[in-house]
Amino acid sequence: MHSDDVARLEPGHQREISEGLHARFAEQFGRRADGVWFAPGRANLNGEHVDFHGGRCLPMALAHGTYVAAAPREDGLLRLRTLDPGLDDGIQTVSIAAIDALVRADAGEGSAGEVPPITDVHSIVPGVTSGWTHYVAGTLWALQQLGAELPELAVRQGFGADLLISSTLPIGGGLSSSAALECSAMLAFVALATPLGEQNPGPALGAALDDALRARLAAACMRAEVEVVGAGTGGLDQTVSLRGRADHLVSLDCRNFSVEHRPTSRLLGEHTFLAIDTQQAHWLGDGQFDDRRADSEAAMRLLGADQLRDVLPESPHLGDVDAGLARFDTLTGGAEAIEGRRTSACRRRLRHALTEMLRSEQLDRILGDEKLEPGAGAQQVGHILDAGHASMRDDAQVSFPAADAIVESARAAGALGARLIGGGFGGSVLVLVPRSREDDVVQAVHRMCVEQSFTAPRFLHVEPSAAARPVG
Ligand code: ADP
Ligand code: MG
């Protein structure tokens, strides 16, 4: 197998991408874009299916992400085009008033009959937009809600915009293209529609957005995905996209969304992270993801906890996980089902959540250890990655044959550890590998996938990168 067959996703050169997007925008919309804004995707070292349980997550922002070129309109319309070949269907037009009415109707604040149509002017099908436009329209809707509380972020009356979108991430690949889309659009809207944007033109906006404001914007982007798109995201993705830092992991405590930045240089030394997009569609993803969450929430209620993080002490050990499971067993009293869900499944989800939260705390201790020599923690981190994969496979039960095979193949080719990241049922594998072996791992995994007739994966070299910002 020749190495030319290997598919690598490069983050590209920011300036070139930005200039190219300006040119495409002018062609597409017949006027100049006011700017280009970028937001990164993310890879999560640990902490899957625990953000909504108050657990700790350890994500990093990628150099890969989503670019939005935009110019304002004054008619309350969004005209949107994505350049992603799989989703591009020309310009889509969304009325913001319609999105607002839709959300209100969902929340029981009006009947569905009062909802004005969300009109796609090209296909002229009232009430229908391509699903992806909801991520963008939802983001503007959420900024309007936030602006009602924070005058500096108030969206001016009648605001609308033309947007052209381009991403260097896999879409639906578990590296958070959805949050990258929301967060890049959010920065464009803040720049073009609010007093803060007006007072801080161009690159100045990056510095004007302090961490507290970025946290508010991340929460708003999460609202867009939960309330407008209807996806059960817990806020991890949006937080790292807006609050990540170059050469650092974000240590995110999901009890209060407080963030510490942990330098990766001490951990990595001569090692690096590699992400492998399995190119498996999120099969049955939606229903199954919700199902896993419902199992773990049934266990949580049985234990009388408001969130599963409370089942463990501040600095947990394995014994605390065992104690939580033992209490679960006592409380079920051998019943086959709790809340109509299989007890054995609920116990597995509980064990995943508790061990995943324990792994995050262990990793956080290693990453925060200032006495650690460069590279010294890598071996330990590799073992924790492996344990995380086993838990995703056996307890969360969200893995699939290609991911399991890729993890094994990467380990055999010299990786220190590897695991499935993202929600599961498709998505990407994160690998920790000595820099000198990175290419061996890429070649071995590619070869294995061809031999076993898995879809050829795509490889992304991971450099922990900076948060969302204006780029041109
Ligand atoms: P992930 O966030 O892991 O990539 P999701 O299923 O959460 O996967 O989000 C993928 C969805 O987000 C896509 O189906 C699409 O609706 C939207 N999306 C993401 N990136 C883009 C893009 N560049 N252009 C248009 N839509 C996008
Ligand atoms: Mg997503």
Side-chain angles (χ1 to χ4, degrees):
M1 187 62 50
H2 194 267
S3 62
D4 285 352
D5 298 335
V6 171
R8 295 177 198 263
L9 284 181
E10 304 291 347
H13 294 285
Q14 202 131 79
R15 222 191 49 223
E16 279 170 28
I17 294 173
S18 168
E19 285 169 4
L21 209 54
H22 267 290
R24 289 290 300 264
F25 187 97
E27 254 170 55
Q28 182 67 57
F29 292 104
R31 61 190 189 124
R32 285 171 55 88
D34 282 29
V36 176
W37 293 267
F38 169 81
R42 64 102 186 92
N44 195 16
L45 184 60
N46 198 82
E48 298 299 358
H49 293 248
V50 297
D51 52 351
F52 48 78
H53 283 309
R56 185 179 299 281
C57 303
L58 292 163
M60 57 200 131
L62 303 177
H64 304 70
T66 298
Y67 295 78
V68 165
R73 308 172 59 85
E74 304 305 327
D75 57 4
L77 291 180
L78 287 175
R79 293 204 304 155
L80 312 170
R81 179 161 187 194
T82 176
L83 295 177
D84 179 74
L87 294 166
D88 181 17
D89 198 11
I91 294 180
Q92 310 289 310
T93 302
V94 184
S95 138
I96 284 305
I99 289 283
D100 189 50
L102 198 70
V103 177
R104 283 179 199 290
D106 274 356
E109 293 172 26
S111 76
E114 295 165 22
V115 179
I118 302 170
T119 320
D120 170 348
V121 291
H122 280 254
S123 52
I124 319 187
V125 183
V128 175
T129 54
S130 316
W132 69 267
T133 61
H134 280 64
Y135 290 87
V136 182
T139 297
L140 180 53
W141 172 84
L143 177 61
Q144 285 175 339
Q145 310 302 307
L146 179 60
E149 288 169 36
L150 290 180
E152 71 226 89
L153 291 179
V155 175
R156 73 166 179 276
Q157 202 63 33
F159 172 78
D162 292 339
L163 266 70
L164 189 64
I165 297 153
S166 176
S167 189
T168 55
L169 287 164
I171 311 291
L175 300 175
S176 208
S177 71
S178 59
L181 176 57
E182 292 146 19
C183 297
S184 53
M186 178 60 93
L187 287 199
F189 294 144
V190 169
L192 299 177
T194 71
L196 188 80
E198 205 172 306
Q199 287 150 19
N200 299 279
L205 182 67
L209 289 170
D210 61 17
D211 191 58
L213 275 177
R214 284 172 177 268
R216 299 296 296 266
L217 294 179
C221 288
M222 177 180 137
R223 279 193 78 180
E225 193 157 337
V226 172
E227 293 179 48
V228 180
V229 176
T233 175
L236 153 70
D237 303 346
Q238 294 81 4
T239 298
V240 58
S241 187
L242 279 160
R243 300 169 72 189
R245 190 183 285 176
D247 303 318
H248 286 73
L249 284 161
V250 173
S251 177
L252 169 64
D253 183 337
C254 291
R255 287 175 295 189
N256 54 13
F257 280 83
S258 64
V259 152
E260 306 256 10
H261 293 100
R262 307 284 189 212
T264 46
S265 51
R266 276 201 301 268
L267 159 69
L268 288 174
E270 292 306 305
H271 303 87
T272 188
F273 290 117
L274 171 72
I276 306 176
D277 167 24
T278 63
Q279 294 234 64
Q280 303 281 311
H282 287 264
W283 47 271
L284 297 175
D286 291 348
Q288 297 240 23
F289 183 89
D290 293 345
D291 194 62
R292 298 298 184 272
R293 181 169 174 165
D295 286 343
S296 65
E297 286 174 347
M300 173 189 84
R301 281 187 288 274
L302 185 75
L303 289 166
D306 291 333
Q307 51 184 1
L308 282 176
R309 180 63 183 84
D310 299 341
V311 172
L312 298 176
E314 194 60 29
S315 298
H317 294 92
L318 192 56
D320 300 310
V321 171
D322 292 339
L325 289 168
R327 202 152 66 77
F328 176 87
D329 292 338
T330 308
L331 288 165
T332 57
E336 295 233 328
I338 54 171
E339 297 184 10
R341 312 192 73 85
R342 270 189 309 126
T343 305
S344 57
C346 296
R347 191 179 194 279
R348 281 177 195 273
R349 309 314 168 231
L350 173 65
R351 190 165 60 187
H352 170 74
L354 296 181
T355 59
E356 186 81 346
M357 291 191 282
L358 174 66
R359 281 186 287 276
S360 277
E361 297 304 328
Q362 289 170 332
L363 283 166
D364 197 46
R365 280 200 287 271
I366 297 170
L367 293 163
D369 181 356
E370 288 177 7
K371 293 193 288 290
L372 209 62
E373 292 291 314
Q379 208 82 36
Q380 270 170 291
V381 171
H383 290 312
I384 296 176
L385 279 173
D386 287 342
H389 185 74
S391 186
M392 291 286 269
R393 185 190 57 211
D394 303 334
D395 287 342
Q397 294 185 302
V398 297
S399 191
F400 49 98
D404 294 340
I406 287 171
V407 164
E408 242 173 70
S409 162
R411 293 281 287 126
L416 298 183
R419 70 168 289 169
L420 177 63
I421 59 171
F425 310 108
S428 295
V429 167
L430 181 68
V431 179
L432 178 64
V433 58
R435 280 183 202 276
S436 59
R437 307 294 296 275
E438 183 177 2
D439 205 49
D440 296 342
V441 167
V442 167
Q443 298 297 337
V445 168
H446 177 78
R447 219 173 19 246
M448 180 281 295
C449 287
V450 171
E451 282 165 12
Q452 311 257 331
S453 303
F454 293 124
T455 311
R458 297 187 291 186
F459 299 88
L460 294 81
H461 178 76
V462 173
E463 290 291 348
S465 296
R469 60 197 179 271
V471 292

